[in-house]
Amino acid sequence: MSSERFDEVRELIAANDEAIVAAVNRRLALVAELWQLKAKLGLDTLDPDRERRLRERLAAASSGPLSPPGLDRLVTELLSLTNAELGASA
């Protein structure tokens, strides 16, 4: 592998990592807004059926190389992080 390609791949990975952080920050902002709306409507913050549908939708959308167990772990971590950052309560 050429040094030029090596550096290019590293830069692409770094840009991708930054995009992931931006996407998570955007998701947190949207979930915070949703939870405010749910509070006004008297709805529970957490919705197990919605989580199940999220997992199903993302499993259908994933074409790899992320494995199904890896995707499940990613979603679990994302939901856990969201709850920790925003202070979830059922």
Side-chain angles (χ1 to χ4, degrees), residues 40-61:
K40 289 178 184 175
L41 296 171
L43 301 173
D44 289 339
T45 300
L46 304 180
D47 181 346
D49 189 54
R50 175 78 176 134
E51 178 181 327
R52 180 191 53 77
R53 291 190 316 260
L54 169 68
R55 289 177 185 277
E56 290 172 354
R57 188 179 77 250
L58 293 178

Side-chain angles (χ1 to χ4, degrees), residues 9-86:
V9 170
R10 278 198 164 162
E11 288 175 16
L12 290 169
I13 291 169
N16 192 63
D17 291 344
E18 291 171 10
I20 290 168
V21 170
V24 170
N25 281 321
R26 179 67 179 139
R27 185 181 198 283
L28 288 171
L30 290 168
V31 171
E33 181 180 353
L34 179 65
W35 287 2
Q36 289 175 353
L37 293 169
K38 283 182 160 189
K40 289 178 184 175
L41 296 171
L43 301 173
D44 289 339
T45 300
L46 304 180
D47 181 346
D49 189 54
R50 175 78 176 134
E51 178 181 327
R52 180 191 53 77
R53 291 190 316 260
L54 169 68
R55 289 177 185 277
E56 290 172 354
R57 188 179 77 250
L58 293 178
S62 180
S63 60
L66 183 62
S67 68
L71 177 61
D72 188 60
R73 181 176 175 191
L74 176 64
V75 173
T76 297
E77 292 296 329
L78 181 59
L79 294 175
S80 177
L81 175 66
T82 299
N83 293 337
E85 288 290 312
L86 300 179

